[in-house]
Amino acid sequence: MPTKSCNAPAAGRRKFLTGMTLTGAAALSAPVMSAGAQQSAPKNAPGVVPQPNLAAETHAPPSDPVSQTSSGGDFMVDVLKTLDIDYLAMNCASSFRGVHEALINHGGNVKPEILTCPHEEIAVSMGQGYAKIEGKPMAMMCHGVVGLQHATMALYNSWCDRVPVYVMIGNIIEADKRMPGAEWVHSAIDPAALVRDFVKWDDQPASLQHFAESAVRAYKISMTPPMAPVLLSLDGELQENPIPDAARLHIPKLAKVVPPVGDPGAVAEAAKLLAAAQNPVIVVDRYARTPGGMARLVELAEALQCAVVDQAGRMNFPSRHPLNQTFRSRAVVGEADMILAIEMNDLWGVLNSFSDRIVRSYRPIVKPGTKIVTLGSRDLYMKANYQDFARFNDVDLAIAGDGEASLPGLIEQVRRMVDAGRKSAHAARGRKLAEAREALREQAKSDATIGWDASPITTARMCTELWAQIKDEDWSLVGNAIRMTWPHRLWNFDKPYRWNGFSGGAGIGYNAPASAGAALANKRHGRISVAIQGDGDLMFVPGTLWTAAHHRIPILYVVHNNRAYHQEYMYLQAMAARHGRGITNAHIGTTLTDPNIDYATVAKGFGVYAEGPITDPKDLGPALKRAVAVVKRGEPALVDVVTDPR
Amino acid sequence: MTKLRQHLGVALGLAMFGACGAAWPQNSPVGDAANGKRAYLAVGCFTCHGRSGQGGAMNYPASALAQTTLPLEAFSVLVRAGPNDMPAYSQNVLSDKDLADIHAFLRSLSGRRPAKDMPLLNQ
């Protein structure tokens, strides 16, 4: 620990603070804190509690300095500024006070700018949503022990969702430097162990130079597909002490990160299979990671005139494109003789039908003999403990490489192999798919009419009313409730930022803060961000609303308030039905009623414009219109809609 | 079990047919729609199929039931067996009378409207 050896013992942080206490106290309130006065009290006098010898306990050694002109935290901020990080979301904590102060006063609170979050889960989730719109990580900082424990759920979501989040935690490594009390329970010898199963890389730098190198390395690792969160543990002494050897410090250059591309021979083989197939199908999940991703997939699909099934992990494919067959996935997968799976996490789940009965069973949807090719970065980095990699599926060719980066080569090969004869057959295939897509749209519209005027309001009506208010804006749906398919069935998702995917780990508490993070990214582009917000999710992290108000994040939350953890409600019903008992009791432990939660009042309490609860569908359109106007002014708004379950 | 599967297969076929909105010969509604609504809400049909019978999703899509074209017999087979992930509603949790009343309630719902006449759905 060279830093310590340069300063020990006089420049240690704790002694420095002791000096500060003495100086400050003397200046402010000599009569109260006077050591002399304390000493003059008679010893053991009746009714007088023996006092500690404050003079002895607070008197600093003569050599203890009271100010410093540099700090490790300043240098850390200098390093962060080279990483093009715009925001740092955090809940303040003493274990990183050195960097916190440096961010504000040395860094000027720009690049990164601090986002104040009332929970660490909010901070990480904001980073997750942000990165999926902006294409780069947000930083997040928290206590190494208790803050990181709060942050774990969001880190797991980010890991499963393959999203980079740049996490820094505070820790006090040296035992003799820890203040009695909280600093002991807030320190660990290996704080990252808690989350090592779901971060891609971590380090606990022992010097400032070590920090600089690890900080750049962490950024590079997090941004290399498969992307994932990374973590740096920052020692308190390293943050707070003066820089002992500034002339020797060097900030490494961050090189451009080039994603891995699939082997050209394997890509050519995939192209051959695609071109020759009668019914090729592309299934895709966390594919598009840049604004160019969607256009490339459209190009490939149109070159083949083949069906695309979009699992919507990202904004992969336009919702109204004639080749988008997402809502007849089973039909097209069942007819496929060749399947190209791009950046799929759960391919098995798409190719099989699983029955959640007493005897759990499954059957393949895909025909025997169907050729299956996978293309993605998933196999390049995986861990064992958490089972987010899903069930193994037989495939004929597994191409390891970033889907988006590999697509230009694949498109070129496909074009080379599609001759005039095939083009004609492909065109006929495309026409059939276009007819099927149009029928799906008409079906969706017809389905949406059922219960149109009902109260509680149907989710179809809610989504249709919302679409009416945003369709002429430059909108972005940055969050959605569980299994809410109406937007993708009814709306026109036609630009790369119209949608940014789901939580990844299905951990509740993602939607509200991740949507706020995505909305922050959309803000500088002038887009209107909207989130369909489950009530159960909002109850995990309601403080997000305050952060949105405080930082003027323009976002419209439309609360899909079904007053339940609805998926669990249904599961409980299934259990009761299985046992033939008490099916009317399924609401116990699964609903959020008695009292009903007034989300508009909650939001107003956090400083957010809000309306609701809205129960009459006729009132919904005007309320949404008013709320959109607020968002267009640059502020958050919330409309609480009492809805049907799904 | 084989017989049940046959009935279920027929019922599923009918359900798919019904979901397309085609005409199907109907038994006269024999149930009490008001009690059917009560039972539909009480035993939780609405959680997957919606209060208006709009349909929804559990692990897989749950079909729209408003103005179901399924005859009561086929409807009963489906409810008692529970296709896919649907809970199988035995008589212990849903009596034959309540089941028939639910069928009558679903038949009484207003169901679909012509989407082309609704501007909000054509944008």
Side-chain angles (χ1 to χ4, degrees), chain A residues 293-304:
Chain A
M294 188 174 83
R296 287 181 190 173
L297 187 57
V298 168
E299 197 178 345
L300 177 64
E302 289 182 351
L304 290 160

Side-chain angles (χ1 to χ4, degrees), chain A residues 320 330 354 356-357 445-447 449 452-454 460 464 471 483 566-567 570-571 573 580 583 644 646, chain B residues 43-44 47-48 50-52 54 57-60 81-82 84-86 89 92 112-113 120-123:
Chain A
R320 289 185 179 175
R330 285 191 178 207
F354 189 88
D356 179 17
R357 311 287 291 200
K445 288 195 284 186
S446 176
D447 290 349
T449 67
W452 186 254
D453 296 320
T464 306
K471 65 181 174 53
R483 297 191 196 283
H566 194 74
Q567 187 76 20
M570 292 188 287
Y571 282 144
Q573 267 186 275
I583 204 158
D644 222 16
R646 284 277 162 91
Chain B
V43 303
T47 64
C48 299
R51 290 182 177 86
S52 306
Q54 186 182 38
M58 188 179 172
N59 293 323
Y60 295 103
N84 297 322
D85 288 351
M86 177 177 161
Y89 281 77
N92 289 338
R112 295 171 195 276
R113 292 159 54 176
L120 278 179
L121 285 170
N122 292 280
Q123 48 192 349

Side-chain angles (χ1 to χ4, degrees), chain A residues 505-527:
Chain A
I508 298 186
Y510 159 87
N511 201 70
S515 299
L520 185 63
N522 278 327
K523 180 179 180 179
R524 78 181 179 93
H525 302 285
R527 300 171 191 148

Side-chain angles (χ1 to χ4, degrees), chain A residues 100 183 212 249 259 261 366 392 457 459 499 509 555 567 574 638 640:
Chain A
H100 187 168
E183 288 192 353
L249 293 177
V261 177
V366 70
F392 192 81
I457 297 168
T459 51
W499 169 242
I555 180 170
Q567 187 76 20
L638 179 145
D640 178 15

Side-chain angles (χ1 to χ4, degrees), chain A residues 223-360:
Chain A
M223 287 294 287
T224 303
M227 297 182 188
V230 289
L231 185 149
L232 292 174
S233 172
L234 311 182
D235 177 39
E237 293 276 308
L238 203 60
Q239 298 172 45
E240 297 179 17
N241 281 350
I243 301 173
D245 47 2
R248 292 183 57 230
L249 293 177
H250 160 68
I251 301 175
K253 183 170 67 178
L254 175 67
K256 183 183 176 188
V257 176
V258 180
V261 177
D263 172 73
V267 168
E269 193 178 339
K272 192 175 170 185
L273 290 168
L274 282 167
Q278 295 297 308
N279 288 306
V281 173
I282 298 170
V283 293
V284 58
D285 193 2
R286 294 189 181 91
Y287 154 74
R289 54 172 178 74
T290 77
M294 188 174 83
R296 287 181 190 173
L297 187 57
V298 168
E299 197 178 345
L300 177 64
E302 289 182 351
L304 290 160
Q305 290 296 305
C306 73
V308 176
V309 172
D310 184 3
Q311 296 296 292
R314 300 287 188 272
M315 185 59 239
N316 296 314
F317 202 69
S319 63
R320 289 185 179 175
H321 194 284
L323 298 173
N324 190 327
Q325 308 290 310
T326 301
F327 291 102
R328 53 189 296 268
S329 167
R330 285 191 178 207
V332 295
V333 167
E335 293 164 5
D337 58 347
M338 195 277 166
I339 291 172
L340 172 64
I342 308 177
E343 298 292 357
M344 284 292 296
N345 191 57
D346 187 9
L347 177 60
W348 190 94
V350 174
L351 304 186
N352 292 273
S353 175
F354 189 88
S355 188
D356 179 17
R357 311 287 291 200
I358 295 172
V359 178
R360 290 186 151 200

Side-chain angles (χ1 to χ4, degrees), chain A residues 271 275 295-296 298-304 408-420 423:
Chain A
R296 287 181 190 173
V298 168
E299 197 178 345
L300 177 64
E302 289 182 351
L304 290 160
L410 182 60
I411 293 166
E412 186 186 336
Q413 292 289 342
V414 164
R415 288 200 189 287
R416 199 174 291 168
M417 290 172 189
V418 177
D419 54 25
K423 263 187 186 164

